[in-house]
Amino acid sequence: MLAAIKAEMRKLLSVRSTYVITGIGLLLTIFVSGYVEGYNLKGADLTNVNHYTDAITGALTSVPLILGSIVALLLITHEYRYNTILYTLTNSKSRSRVLAAKIITITIYALLLTLVVSVLSPLASYIGISLKGSHLAAQTIPYASLLWRCLYYGWTSLLAALAIGVLVRSQVGAIVTLFVIPTVELMFTSLLKTKAVYLPFTGASNAILTHPQASQGVMSYGRAAIVFGIYLLIAWIVAWILFLRRDAN
């Protein structure tokens, strides 16, 4: 199993796209948090006691993890695009071991990326505010709650993208699917009204990071995590079965 994980880590770290995509995500985080949420902050925004919390959750729900999801997709779809999946499956005694190694690899990448963004966004915001000479109100940060929610959100987001890659296999098709699903969900939001919070991406997943006042009476953080976890589990059960049974081509 260790050899399979090392092989997947090499695949992740040996392609240029991993560094380019991750780098772009981090640079955009620095710009948005440092300038928009920092240097350009003024007026009532400076009295927001949840500003750093908002900076973290806002960063995680925007570009960095979206781009990180593409990295997760590429880990599996690159293999189908260049037919290296045949060698991967031939060199392993178990297809389940191959898939488990990919899950572990993306888990490590997702947790590291989430931690970096979670530290980088408030730090960039603080530096931006300091450079402007502004003064931010004393902050209230629920460290324990925020930590598990950020890590869970980042981890499940990238695992969901990896599951889409396993199910679709086509690189272009998987990327399109990744962006189409939330768009389709938005079309059902007005129809479902309060029940729209049970939709996987635009509902339950986002509710993991929203403030209590935004989700009060709708869905708690814990319930949101469970609901999205159930969606993810079902997707991975289907993906696992198909990965075991389908032809490698």
Side-chain angles (χ1 to χ4, degrees), residues 23 25-26 28 32 58 86 95 115 121 127 131 142 151 159 163 166 169 172-173 177 196 218 245 249:
L26 295 180
L28 287 173
V32 173
L86 295 172
R95 287 194 176 195
L115 285 173
S121 54
I127 293 173
L131 290 175
L151 291 176
L159 280 190
V166 175
R169 303 203 293 186
V172 175
T177 302
V218 179
R245 296 186 177 182
N249 295 322

Side-chain angles (χ1 to χ4, degrees), residues 18 28 38 42 45 53 76 93-94 102 117 121-122 126 140 192 196 238 246:
T18 299
L28 287 173
K42 51 190 172 182
D45 293 331
T53 301
I76 180 67
K93 296 180 180 179
S94 169
K102 290 185 182 296
V117 172
S121 54
Y126 170 79
T140 301
L192 296 175
V238 175
R246 285 195 296 189

Side-chain angles (χ1 to χ4, degrees), residues 211-247:
H211 282 311
Q213 59 263 33
S215 59
Q216 189 174 10
V218 179
M219 183 178 288
S220 66
Y221 296 140
R223 178 176 292 184
I226 292 172
V227 169
F228 190 70
I230 292 173
Y231 278 116
L232 188 60
L233 179 61
I234 293 172
W236 268 109
I237 289 174
V238 175
W240 205 296
I241 292 173
L242 292 178
F243 189 76
L244 294 178
R245 296 186 177 182
R246 285 195 296 189
D247 192 286

